[in-house]
Amino acid sequence: MMVMDGRIARFEIFSSLAVVPTLAPSAPFGLRTGMSMAEAMVRLPSGVIIEEHKYNWPGGYYVTWYDVLRRRAIRIQVADSRFVDVILWGDIDAVRLTEGCV
């Protein structure tokens, strides 16, 4: 979890070896680390934004979905164009922080 101004701003599930689907906790929409990018895209609502990963390129992506009011977001990070290795969800500003840096 990430705490900002004394409240939880973001939840994170991380797997550095996401090579097969895990039994780890799932995030909103049933997302989990280790699932394929294709499977994650089927679970996410329409309107996602796909961007190249700032540090894991080529083949790394950020896939981000925003709620209607653009207050909350879910971002998955995909490694090697294949597997979800990070899932972030919570306040939009906290989710968009790259690698947790301020």
Side-chain angles (χ1 to χ4, degrees), residues 39-80:
E39 186 178 356
M41 295 298 289
V42 168
R43 292 173 183 259
L44 285 164
S46 62
V48 298
I49 297 169
I50 301 173
E51 303 168 283
E52 294 175 355
H53 195 288
K54 289 184 179 184
Y55 305 109
N56 186 7
W57 187 251
Y61 296 97
Y62 299 113
V63 179
T64 310
W65 172 83
Y66 301 100
D67 73 351
V68 174
L69 298 175
R70 294 190 62 89
R71 292 185 182 158
R72 305 256 185 245
I74 297 171
R75 172 176 274 184
I76 62 171
Q77 295 179 25
V78 177
D80 302 324

Side-chain angles (χ1 to χ4, degrees), residues 13-33:
I13 299 174
F14 172 79
S15 174
S16 62
L17 299 174
V19 293
V20 296
T22 67
L23 297 177
S26 64
F29 306 114
L31 296 168
R32 65 186 187 286
T33 58

